[in-house]
Amino acid sequence: MEELLDWYWLLVLSLLPLTVLLKVMCLFWWRPRRIEEHFAKQGLKGPPYRFYIGNVKELMDLMLKASSQPMPLSHNIVPRVLSFYHHWKNIYGATFLVWFGPTARLTVSDPDLIREIFAFKSEFYEKNDSHPLIKQLEGDGLLSLKGAKWAHHRKIIQPTFYMENLKLLIPVMGKKVEEMLEKWSAMLDGHSHVEIEVSDWFQTLTEEVITRTAFGSNYEEGKSIFGLQAQQMVYVAEALQKVFIPGYRFIPTKKNRSSWILDREIKKSLVKLIQRRRDESETAEGCQNHKDLMGLMLKAGAATNKVHRRSSLPDSGCSPASKSESSITVRDIVEECKSFFIAGKQTTSNLLTWTTVLLAMHPEWQQKAREEVLRVCGSRDSPSKDAIPKLKTLSMVVNETLRLYPPAIATIRRAKTDVELGGYKIPRGTELLVPIIAVHHEPALWGHDATEFNPGRFSEGVVRAANHPMAFIPFGHGDRTCIGQNLAMLQAKLAISSILQRFSFRLAPSYQHAPTVLMLLYPQYGAPILFRHLPASETTIPQNQGS
């Protein structure tokens, strides 16, 4: 009997390597080959799959080559920031297959198909999982949640971004913008002009507003926590450049250890702040303070806990699954605060930076926008909640900036099941890459001047700006449209209009045009701008333009 057992285990051990080998071959060779053949039969091709790495090496080579040096002052930036799409589109057409390791991604730039993915058949697709490094930084909040839990969190957080709530922030935003501009004026004292790296200043400005929106009266404590997260972002950005070194994020390098320590400190500090807010909420004064992000989450958590206590009575019919989906835990609030900071800060600061760069590059539109601001808001008064909606020219400028330089240049969805997309049969697990920036620069949708700065195309609104309603998707579309887009637009209009009241500006000689992607689209070498005070003659509103 013992001999039989010995032979049995010997057989199992000898077959184990073969089983592992078969699984590896299935995952990294046979399955990709089957998918490749499946799409080839439908006329969809792409660069050939390579064992284990897919097309990653070619993709990285194209990206490195494209970003190796600055580009001319042009808005034709797709070949630089989405180089692999530009290169392979010219070979295989707009819809092609590309391999990120053994994962198939089908590029989809047809606006009708994009509408199917985001709206008409959105239930068949889900957001893909973020890279673990990014997820560590941005948290497990709305940016990455899926299904019922995502829907529940969005419903709770949505009121934070209602316009009537955001308008309450305008005095706070205006004050922070004024403080920033006073510092710029002091830098100009005694000089005809001054060079300012605006991207750094705008990051600080948006941090202030985002912190106030997230934490309300606990602003100072929130500010210190978000400061830690800003430090962590630097370490994560560096680590992302080494994502193709297997297991690099687990290696205890000095910077990785620093990032891990910061992550623990951020979570610990947020938990303490959440507990303090819970204690405050039991007072009459605390009950009034629930319109910020943390307050809304705490209020929802208290409400769901009461429901679950009632549901725990016999025969309540409340299942453990439904309870876990609807409960708001301390961890949930921590993760949402982390997500809110990263998404809100980067999106808005990048929008402000690119809008300033574009107005510096195009003085004729800078002057048109300034004349409107002076006519509507005067030369010194901070733009009010009633004045901002009247700034039509500035709205056109901001929308054109979002078209040419969208914060996220692409987005990815994963097919949850076998599905048909515009006649194509898409197998479950296939990822669909929507190249937002390529759609925004497509001449067939935007005309012969698609790569030129022309805010006038938005003169009749967003819907009529292009040949298709899905041609303009800077904040996504459908259920997962960016929840903070109203905050980003409001802050951008307020800051830019205040700048236009005080200064004229142009690109500094040191400016190098080099749009680059690292999570979001940003200027690789910064955005140095030359500012000068407006002379009194330029702040006077001509009589025939008065309101």
Side-chain angles (χ1 to χ4, degrees):
M1 188 66 179
E2 290 182 4
E3 289 182 2
L4 285 174
L5 283 173
D6 289 342
W7 277 106
Y8 171 78
W9 286 114
L10 185 61
L11 181 63
V12 168
L13 292 173
S14 62
L15 289 175
L16 188 60
L18 180 60
T19 303
V20 172
L21 178 62
L22 287 172
K23 286 186 176 181
V24 168
M25 290 302 294
C26 180
L27 177 63
F28 294 109
W29 187 254
W30 294 320
R31 184 176 178 275
R33 285 299 186 193
R34 286 200 307 272
I35 292 173
E36 204 167 35
E37 290 173 7
H38 170 81
F39 282 111
K41 290 176 182 177
Q42 301 179 76
L44 298 174
K45 297 184 178 181
Y49 171 76
R50 300 184 190 284
F51 182 78
Y52 181 68
I53 64 170
N55 305 128
V56 167
K57 185 180 183 303
E58 302 142 276
L59 186 147
M60 291 298 293
D61 287 345
L62 287 167
M63 289 174 59
L64 289 171
K65 182 180 179 181
S67 62
S68 60
Q69 56 186 4
M71 63 178 287
L73 289 179
S74 161
H75 306 308
N76 184 24
I77 65 173
V78 175
R80 177 185 173 87
V81 301
L82 207 58
S83 53
F84 78 89
Y85 175 83
H86 175 75
H87 176 75
W88 284 321
K89 177 190 174 185
N90 291 334
I91 300 172
Y92 303 107
T95 305
F96 62 87
L97 198 65
V98 61
W99 293 91
F100 285 71
T103 302
R105 281 185 188 168
L106 189 69
T107 63
V108 179
S109 57
D110 183 321
D112 287 324
L113 301 186
I114 294 172
R115 181 159 54 185
E116 278 193 45
I117 296 168
F118 286 159
F120 294 166
K121 293 184 178 181
S122 60
E123 69 272 19
F124 296 113
Y125 305 96
E126 64 182 0
K127 191 177 185 297
N128 72 313
D129 295 324
S130 301
H131 188 278
L133 281 170
I134 296 176
K135 197 167 183 176
Q136 174 190 325
L137 178 65
E138 68 184 17
D140 192 19
L142 280 184
L143 293 175
S144 56
L145 288 176
K146 302 173 188 176
K149 188 167 184 177
W150 168 83
H152 184 55
H153 280 220
R154 186 171 176 109
K155 182 179 179 181
I156 292 167
I157 296 170
Q158 188 79 53
T160 306
F161 301 97
Y162 287 163
M163 191 52 73
E164 58 265 30
N165 281 345
L166 293 180
K167 285 181 178 178
L168 298 175
L169 287 171
I170 288 179
V172 175
M173 294 183 194
K175 181 182 177 182
K176 295 302 177 184
V177 172
E178 284 291 318
E179 290 173 359
M180 180 183 76
L181 299 186
E182 287 297 332
K183 291 175 182 176
W184 291 8
S185 292
M187 293 165 65
L188 257 167
D189 189 30
H191 304 281
S192 61
H193 60 264
V194 64
E195 180 178 310
I196 296 174
E197 166 48 277
V198 294
S199 59
D200 291 339
W201 285 87
F202 288 149
Q203 287 207 31
T204 301
L205 174 66
T206 54
E207 278 182 21
E208 296 276 345
V209 176
I210 288 297
T211 307
R212 185 74 67 177
T213 309
F215 297 110
S217 61
N218 298 90
Y219 163 80
E220 290 296 339
E221 292 166 283
K223 185 177 179 181
S224 64
I225 294 169
F226 281 168
L228 296 175
Q229 202 170 359
Q231 293 176 43
Q232 187 188 24
M233 188 184 299
V234 175
Y235 293 126
V236 171
E238 291 183 15
L240 280 172
Q241 297 173 13
K242 301 178 177 70
V243 292
F244 296 109
I245 300 175
Y248 178 80
R249 64 191 177 94
F250 299 111
I251 301 172
T253 63
K254 183 178 180 181
K255 290 180 179 178
N256 277 353
R257 291 198 307 273
S258 297
S259 181
W260 300 338
I261 292 168
L262 283 170
D263 190 54
R264 289 195 296 270
E265 185 62 29
I266 290 164
K267 290 177 180 176
K268 182 180 176 182
S269 299
L270 281 169
V271 168
K272 285 184 179 178
L273 180 53
I274 290 165
Q275 187 56 55
R276 188 175 300 117
R277 282 291 293 270
R278 272 183 169 169
D279 295 339
E280 291 172 359
S281 68
E282 296 176 2
T283 67
E285 183 180 349
C287 288
Q288 301 298 318
N289 184 29
H290 59 71
K291 290 187 177 180
D292 56 87
L293 178 72
M294 183 174 283
L296 285 168
M297 294 286 285
L298 282 168
K299 185 181 178 184
T304 53
N305 286 338
K306 287 179 182 177
V307 170
H308 293 321
R309 281 196 293 271
R310 289 196 299 269
S311 299
S312 64
L313 296 172
D315 302 321
S316 66
C318 179
S319 68
S322 64
K323 178 176 178 178
S324 65
E325 287 173 351
S326 60
S327 296
I328 299 296
T329 65
V330 170
R331 180 185 179 278
D332 290 333
I333 302 174
V334 167
E335 298 303 310
E336 289 296 355
C337 288
K338 290 171 65 178
S339 294
F340 184 59
F341 176 71
I342 294 298
K345 171 189 170 182
Q346 295 301 110
T347 299
T348 309
S349 62
N350 281 14
L351 174 56
L352 281 167
T353 298
W354 288 119
T355 303
T356 305
V357 167
L358 288 170
L359 287 175
M361 292 173 69
H362 300 277
E364 70 283 7
W365 278 102
Q366 182 184 149
Q367 186 57 30
K368 287 179 183 179
R370 177 177 294 108
E371 289 173 359
E372 177 186 69
V373 170
L374 294 176
R375 184 171 66 250
V376 173
C377 307
S379 60
R380 276 296 183 181
D381 295 335
S382 182
S384 67
K385 66 179 182 179
D386 296 320
I388 291 175
K390 298 176 183 177
L391 300 175
K392 304 300 183 184
T393 301
L394 186 56
S395 292
M396 289 156 50
V397 168
V398 172
N399 280 329
E400 182 70 341
T401 302
L402 287 167
R403 184 185 74 84
L404 290 170
Y405 296 83
I409 65 167
T411 188
I412 301 169
R413 294 291 184 268
R414 182 191 294 117
K416 294 193 290 186
T417 184
D418 292 346
V419 64
E420 189 169 310
L421 177 65
Y424 298 120
K425 296 186 185 301
I426 310 297
R428 180 175 65 88
T430 303
E431 293 184 348
L432 305 171
L433 186 146
V434 178
I436 294 171
I437 195 167
V439 176
H440 284 191
H441 286 239
E442 175 54 54
L445 297 171
W446 294 95
H448 66 279
D449 65 343
T451 59
E452 296 175 17
F453 181 72
N454 176 21
R457 70 179 84 246
F458 288 97
S459 59
E460 296 183 49
V462 169
V463 175
R464 297 187 179 182
N467 297 331
H468 196 286
M470 294 300 293
F472 186 64
I473 46 174
F475 296 108
H477 185 74
D479 292 340
R480 295 196 76 111
T481 300
C482 176
I483 196 172
Q485 63 175 308
N486 286 338
L487 178 60
M489 294 291 284
L490 183 63
Q491 192 172 351
K493 291 177 186 178
L494 179 60
I496 298 297
S497 57
S498 298
I499 292 170
L500 289 167
Q501 285 176 312
R502 296 190 180 206
F503 306 100
S504 66
F505 48 95
R506 60 187 174 87
L507 296 179
S510 60
Y511 176 79
Q512 299 180 77
H513 196 49
T516 302
V517 179
L518 190 60
M519 295 199 292
L520 297 177
L521 186 65
Y522 76 105
Q524 184 175 350
Y525 304 109
I529 306 290
L530 285 183
F531 287 87
R532 71 176 180 89
H533 279 305
L534 280 176
S537 59
E538 293 185 39
T539 61
T540 304
I541 309 169
Q543 278 192 335
N544 62 348
Q545 292 185 4
S547 54

